[in-house]
Amino acid sequence: LKRMQVWVAVNEADIGKIHPGLPVTFTVDAFPGETFRGEVGKVRLNASMTQNVVTYTVEIVTDNSSGLLLPYLTANVQFELDRRTNVLMVSNAALRWKPSAEQVAPEARETLEKLAGRKGKPEGGSVSSSKTGAGSAATTNRTALWIPEGNYVKPIRVQQGLSDGTYTEVQGEGLEEGMHVVTGIQTQTNNQDVATNPFTPKFPPRGGAARPK
């Protein structure tokens, strides 16, 4: 089969964003290292309800000239709802993280008070650049990224854009590609009485291995 259809069940809350011609990427469990591309062919109007959840069947049309795709394979599908080019992206963990008052540079603590109520959890990261950034949804939220400055952190106010669920487009005065931002703090667990910067990256002990998160 040179062309094949993939049937996808889409929740009623998301179906309004789906239309014919929308670009799609997907993977199948049989070929985990392979990414396939296609586009929305048709949205079927005969909805179904399972456990009070209404879904619509969306037909994806894809090229199968390679012959890799077989009937009844399970596909994991991502719809490309919008696209940005030449944007800065940051880990979503950095946008969620909120420092305590004593971690913030004294002159920046007023900003922390204005941002009170936002929650998140730490680890270190960096701002990255994307020539072509595709996302699942656009937002206009304003928040702050926290960058290390000695033993403190200070904020950079940013506006969020598209997100793919892992990284989010950000805009803001003072942002630069490669800038280090705080997404978390790793505490000292041994008994060494040595003063350390809590925002300095920690390395695994000799003989161990760092595992990506």
Side-chain angles (χ1 to χ4, degrees):
L1 297 177
K2 291 187 177 181
R3 293 185 67 80
M4 179 172 281
Q5 288 186 348
V6 179
W7 295 352
V8 185
V10 177
N11 190 290
E12 62 176 325
D14 299 317
I15 197 64
K17 307 170 188 175
I18 309 301
H19 57 81
L22 192 69
V24 170
T25 60
F26 64 94
T27 60
V28 294
D29 294 342
F31 306 102
E34 193 84 25
T35 298
F36 301 89
R37 298 186 178 276
E39 64 178 35
V40 174
K42 182 171 65 175
V43 178
R44 294 187 179 181
L45 301 182
N46 53 328
S48 62
M49 179 181 290
T50 304
Q51 297 181 347
N52 294 325
V53 177
V54 177
T55 59
Y56 291 82
T57 298
V58 176
E59 295 181 2
I60 307 300
V61 180
T62 184
D63 177 29
N64 189 34
S65 55
S66 64
L68 291 177
L69 296 174
L70 303 174
Y72 302 107
L73 291 178
T74 299
N76 303 295
V77 180
Q78 289 188 326
F79 296 89
E80 186 181 294
L81 302 183
D82 207 343
R83 178 176 288 266
R84 296 285 190 271
T85 59
N86 297 317
V87 300
L88 291 175
M89 302 173 66
V90 72
S91 165
N92 288 352
L95 294 169
R96 292 192 301 264
W97 185 69
K98 174 184 171 185
S100 59
E102 61 271 16
Q103 293 169 335
V104 179
E107 68 275 12
R109 289 176 184 173
E110 183 179 349
T111 301
L112 178 64
E113 295 176 2
K114 293 179 181 179
L115 294 170
R118 304 192 179 201
K119 299 179 181 179
K121 295 206 169 181
E123 281 173 79
S126 64
V127 176
S128 60
S129 176
S130 172
K131 289 293 182 183
T132 304
S136 58
T139 67
T140 55
N141 294 335
R142 290 188 176 274
T143 185
L145 293 173
W146 298 91
I147 64 174
E149 187 179 67
N151 289 326
Y152 294 104
V153 295
K154 66 178 184 180
I156 291 184
R157 298 299 296 268
V158 297
Q159 179 174 326
Q160 302 178 49
L162 289 180
S163 176
D164 63 3
T166 303
Y167 290 91
T168 295
E169 171 195 359
V170 287
Q171 301 177 30
E173 185 177 352
L175 279 182
E176 297 177 0
E177 181 180 354
M179 176 180 288
H180 289 284
V181 297
V182 179
T183 63
I185 298 175
Q186 185 173 1
T187 58
Q188 187 95 4
T189 56
N190 57 26
N191 295 324
Q192 295 178 359
D193 189 17
V194 179
T196 60
N197 185 332
F199 306 108
T200 301
K202 303 299 189 298
F203 298 97
R206 183 173 298 179
R211 299 178 60 186
K213 295 182 179 179

